[in-house]
Amino acid sequence: MTNTISIESELKKSYLEYSLSVIIGRAIPDVRDGLKPVHRRIMFAQHDLGNSYNRAYKKSARVVGDVIGKYHPHGDSAVYDALVRMAQDFSMRDPLVDGQGNFGSIDGDAAAAMRYTEVRMARLASEFLADIDKNTVDFRPNYDNTLQEPVVLPTKVPNLLLNGTAGIAVGMATNIPPHNLGELIGGTIHLLDNPGCTIADLMGFIKGPDFPTGATIFGGQGLVDAYTSGRGSIKIRGVMEVEEKKGNRQSIVVREIPYAVNKSTLVEKIAQLVNDKRIEGITDLRDESDRNGIRIVMDLKRGSIPDIIINQLYKFTPLETSFGINMMAVVKNRPMLLNIKEVLSYFLDHRREVIIRRTKFDLDKAEKRVHILEGLRIAVDNIDEVVKIIRASASAVEAKANLMERFELSEIQAQAILDMRLQRLTGLEREKLMEEYAELLKRIEYFKSILENEDVLKGVIRDELMEVDKTYTTPRKSELLRHDLDSIDIEDLIADDEAVITLSRRGYIKRTPLTNYQAQRRGGKGISGVQTSDGDFIQNFMLTTNHKWLLLFTNFGKMFKIKAHQVPEGSRYAKGAHIANLLPLDKDEHIATAMSLQDMSSERFFLFVTKRGMIKRSPMDLYQNCRTTGLKAVNLKEGDELMGVQEVNPDADCILATRNGTAIRFNIRDARPMGRVTAGVKGISLRGDDEVVSAVTTSDGERFELLTVSEGGFGKRTHIEQYRIQSRGGKGILNMRLTDKTGSVIGACLVNDTDDIILLTSGNKIIRMKVEEISLTRGRATQGVRLVRMDEDVNVAGFDLVMDPTETEEEDTED
């Protein structure tokens, strides 16, 4: 009859067995020696081969063959990969294998084939296998029951923390960073002497991880959490320094990189960021690393700020990484999450067991030798009678029996007498025999004291640890800072200076310090500005500061939000970078207007104005969360485009100025607050092909005059009392009398006598003048005065206001 088995229970049972096999037998190290089975088998196989640090190297293939043939029932590539890593000084804090040949590089280069490389155990590895032949650890059958392999190595080194480990099992993982041997032994001895010490006490000795590649560790609360609970996260930063070069130039040099970072990949990442202009200011990138250490050199443009570029490198590249600590280890065949005190306690327990078992082994051996020496001493003292008994015996068996009977000897003692050479009868040999006997008695007394007295046992453990410390400890490689990493805002390194943002019709944008433009007298020709291509001209021209948000609104009604300092800086003559490098614009989409803000709250409002006279007032907080792909700011009717956006006070009045010289003034409260994705209400009724060119509000303090500028270079300054308040949606009144000489209106703004204005022509000339030099007109319907002289076919393309200028006035200049 066939037995019925539940598939559910069978799957649970089989998968549990599989997971335990992976956890115990492959992925998670033993807490005692800090080794996974493959590493333990590699070291034991080399011990069997006699491949110690003071012997000649052996082919790696020989070692791998012994490991997979005797102990490790897996593929040779897995064993060789583990062997290679044990020899890499950039992977292991203290390598356990001494390799000869190509064992890979920090650039990710693979090691040479195992038939080409040679290995032997590192000197430190001898401390892992010391006394293994003295019954210090248990052995178990290998996979085919033909040989015995150790369950654990009798190591004198706290290797779980020394070299760390990483492994992914079934349902759990481990990730333990490497540490400094001297610090570990200091903490271990402190715990040995003070079993009740706290983790904080241990952290006085064990400062934190110590990576083979150096770098700087920020061991704040994350490190405390890791050492206290077994889990935590730390930040690691590469080490960079600034070198001064000839010609007032500088270079950034990377000296150390975070643990497990591929150097070649890091260099490629930096190059990509430079090419994509996400990091600006680097003119050349070279990897000058050699056998003496890492050296990645980045030459900087003259005038670049190294601190800004360094922090960009930390932000965008693996030069700053996180290391998640997860101290999972196998304890008595069970995976456990351990804190640092538990890890060291289990190691000390292991050392106690090893020393006790070794002592019992040595005691037993010494007592057996003393037993034999006691028999030999009897024989030497009665040598004539012994010889007589032996000569009278018919056989060796009879001689042994006669000796045992005559002198009350054991069989072992009697056999030793029969095996004794005649040279032992000399006076010198007899003296040596007695010295050996006396020495053994002392050793037996010492061994018994270790087994009987806990203080003596601790002394042995302490002495052995101190000897390891004296022989193998090396200076710390990683600098440890006992605080969390506070991310440095790049803005903290950028002065909040005033700047001019210019954006051409074809989409070229740049940022120029305001100090590049000096005040001139009215009527001057101006100084050279942006060098644009034929048919292009500056469309947006605004003043801001480097720390403010730059809000870019497109003609399609979308909003983009970036910091002003993210706009590439250019000289007064530079063309700038294309806006497509900063924003994802659609076909035929361009920036309609730009504005800058420090913060956005629900108490503040945007006023949206379209070319067809529609307006919309919306709270700013609706636009706070702007994605990199942009945000829909306003719904537009077919054929309409967004003309401009500005911040408004609900108590203020709004004046809309049109291209054909009309204007309307109404109170902002006539436009009720609306949601983000709405079209708004009518602000002015336009005639024919007229369109809105400017929208200004009266909330600018004492600025009670409206300055209207035409494309022909004329300007008209009129007191706003000349514009009566009307109902929203009306046709408005005459604002400026236009002629062929004045051309159409390009915009308007509120000003007072203390202001300056900057004009930009389509011929790329820039002129700055004081508002007080522009005559205040008595009437409203006038053409105004000439502001700038221009060549034929050149128009005023844009202008902006400079409030409370501080620059000194210069005479007319022309570049």
Side-chain angles (χ1 to χ4, degrees), residues 311-530:
N311 279 279
Q312 288 176 329
L313 290 169
Y314 283 141
K315 182 175 181 181
F316 298 124
T317 74
L319 278 169
E320 179 184 312
T321 60
S322 295
F323 190 100
I325 300 175
N326 184 21
M327 296 202 291
M328 182 77 67
V330 174
V331 180
K332 298 178 182 178
N333 287 325
R334 293 182 58 188
M336 291 180 61
L337 186 66
L338 306 171
N339 61 41
I340 193 169
K341 182 178 180 179
E342 291 170 333
V343 170
L344 296 181
S345 295
Y346 283 119
F347 171 72
L348 285 175
D349 290 344
H350 179 55
R351 286 304 302 158
R352 282 189 179 90
E353 182 181 356
V354 166
I355 291 173
I356 288 172
R357 292 179 63 160
R358 181 189 68 192
T359 302
K360 288 180 177 179
F361 179 89
D362 289 338
L363 176 61
D364 181 64
K365 185 177 179 180
E367 287 177 339
K368 288 179 179 178
R369 179 62 178 165
V370 164
H371 182 65
I372 291 173
L373 290 177
E374 287 175 344
L376 295 178
R377 188 180 63 174
I378 293 173
V380 170
D381 292 341
N382 301 277
I383 188 62
D384 293 336
E385 188 175 356
V386 168
V387 172
K388 183 178 179 181
I389 292 174
I390 294 174
R391 293 183 62 182
S393 301
S395 64
V397 175
E398 183 180 341
K400 181 192 301 185
N402 291 337
L403 288 173
M404 292 171 61
E405 181 181 356
R406 169 66 184 82
F407 297 108
E408 298 181 352
L409 301 174
S410 67
E411 185 177 352
I412 295 175
Q413 290 174 322
Q415 185 63 48
I417 291 172
L418 293 175
D419 295 337
M420 183 177 65
R421 293 182 180 184
L422 292 177
Q423 70 179 27
R424 300 301 296 271
L425 299 178
T426 64
L428 182 61
E429 288 295 322
R430 292 178 62 188
E431 185 177 340
K432 285 183 179 180
L433 195 69
M434 299 309 295
E435 288 178 356
E436 181 185 0
Y437 180 73
E439 180 65 27
L440 281 175
L441 290 178
K442 292 180 181 179
R443 293 187 64 191
I444 289 173
E445 183 180 357
Y446 172 64
F447 291 148
K448 288 182 177 179
S449 69
I450 293 175
L451 298 176
E452 296 171 357
N453 191 323
E454 177 68 17
D455 291 336
V456 177
L457 176 60
K458 285 183 178 181
V460 174
I461 298 174
R462 184 185 305 104
D463 291 343
E464 292 184 353
L465 287 173
M466 293 177 66
E467 184 62 30
V468 170
D469 182 18
K470 179 181 177 181
T471 306
Y472 301 102
T473 291
T474 56
R476 168 174 277 276
K477 294 184 177 182
S478 295
E479 180 185 5
L480 181 70
L481 302 179
R482 278 289 181 88
H483 60 80
D484 290 314
L485 174 59
D486 296 325
S487 58
I488 300 177
D489 194 337
I490 294 177
E491 286 187 4
D492 295 337
L493 304 172
I494 301 175
D496 194 19
D497 295 332
E498 290 184 316
V500 176
I501 302 290
T502 56
L503 179 67
S504 75
R505 176 66 180 180
R506 290 187 175 177
Y508 289 93
I509 190 170
K510 72 168 183 176
R511 173 174 51 90
T512 307
L514 180 61
T515 53
N516 285 15
Y517 304 104
Q518 299 296 331
Q520 294 178 271
R521 296 189 184 277
R522 178 176 64 83
K525 288 187 175 181
I527 58 175
S528 298
V530 184

Side-chain angles (χ1 to χ4, degrees), residues 477-758:
K477 294 184 177 182
S478 295
E479 180 185 5
L480 181 70
L481 302 179
R482 278 289 181 88
H483 60 80
D484 290 314
L485 174 59
D486 296 325
S487 58
I488 300 177
D489 194 337
I490 294 177
E491 286 187 4
D492 295 337
L493 304 172
I494 301 175
D496 194 19
D497 295 332
E498 290 184 316
V500 176
I501 302 290
T502 56
L503 179 67
S504 75
R505 176 66 180 180
R506 290 187 175 177
Y508 289 93
I509 190 170
K510 72 168 183 176
R511 173 174 51 90
T512 307
L514 180 61
T515 53
N516 285 15
Y517 304 104
Q518 299 296 331
Q520 294 178 271
R521 296 189 184 277
R522 178 176 64 83
K525 288 187 175 181
I527 58 175
S528 298
V530 184
Q531 299 296 318
T532 59
S533 57
D534 293 340
D536 195 12
F537 62 91
I538 296 301
Q539 173 180 282
N540 285 278
F541 184 79
M542 63 172 295
L543 299 176
T544 184
T545 62
N546 288 330
H547 288 192
K548 286 186 177 180
W549 284 108
L550 183 62
L551 307 183
L552 302 171
F553 297 89
T554 74
N555 58 320
F556 288 1
K558 291 179 68 176
M559 185 191 87
F560 295 91
K561 180 181 174 185
I562 60 174
K563 285 286 188 178
H565 64 73
Q566 292 179 264
V567 177
E569 182 174 342
S571 68
R572 201 173 64 212
Y573 316 101
K575 184 178 182 180
H578 199 274
I579 193 67
N581 294 327
L582 299 176
L583 308 177
L585 299 180
D586 295 333
K587 184 180 179 182
D588 298 327
E589 186 177 16
H590 61 267
I591 303 301
T593 191
M595 62 186 301
S596 62
L597 291 173
Q598 194 73 38
D599 61 89
M600 302 166 70
S601 64
S602 60
E603 290 78 22
R604 305 174 71 181
F605 292 87
F606 282 133
L607 178 67
F608 296 87
V609 181
T610 73
K611 288 185 176 181
R612 299 305 303 160
M614 299 295 292
I615 63 171
K616 185 184 76 162
R617 181 162 65 99
S618 297
M620 283 189 183
D621 63 333
L622 299 179
Y623 301 84
Q624 182 71 45
N625 299 321
C626 183
R627 300 180 296 273
T628 56
T629 55
L631 186 72
K632 188 71 173 176
V634 61
N635 272 348
L636 297 174
K637 295 182 180 180
E638 186 175 356
D640 198 3
E641 294 184 10
L642 182 63
M643 184 279 301
V645 185
Q646 63 176 283
E647 181 182 359
V648 294
N649 186 327
D651 296 326
D653 293 339
C654 177
I655 299 177
L656 301 182
T658 72
R659 181 177 296 279
N660 291 343
T662 61
I664 187 172
R665 177 182 177 185
F666 57 88
N667 190 270
I668 293 295
R669 292 196 182 276
D670 287 352
R672 60 180 178 83
M674 306 183 75
R676 179 171 59 84
V677 189
T678 56
V681 294
K682 182 175 289 189
I684 186 172
S685 296
L686 300 175
R687 299 181 180 93
D689 61 351
D690 197 7
E691 61 184 32
V692 177
V693 293
S694 284
V696 298
T697 62
T698 61
S699 59
D700 294 344
E702 297 180 355
R703 287 178 173 77
F704 296 138
E705 299 156 2
L706 182 70
L707 175 65
T708 305
V709 179
S710 71
E711 60 186 4
F714 283 76
K716 180 181 71 74
R717 186 160 64 108
T718 308
H719 201 284
I720 61 170
E721 289 181 354
Q722 298 287 335
Y723 300 86
R724 68 180 187 275
I725 297 178
Q726 300 177 272
S727 298
R728 173 187 57 79
K731 293 183 178 180
I733 57 177
L734 185 61
N735 174 34
M736 185 175 187
R737 190 174 301 279
L738 303 179
T739 65
D740 292 340
K741 185 169 57 175
T742 62
S744 301
V745 174
I746 65 165
C749 67
L750 292 175
V751 296
N752 64 25
D753 288 345
T754 64
D755 297 333
D756 282 7
I757 62 167
I758 292 181

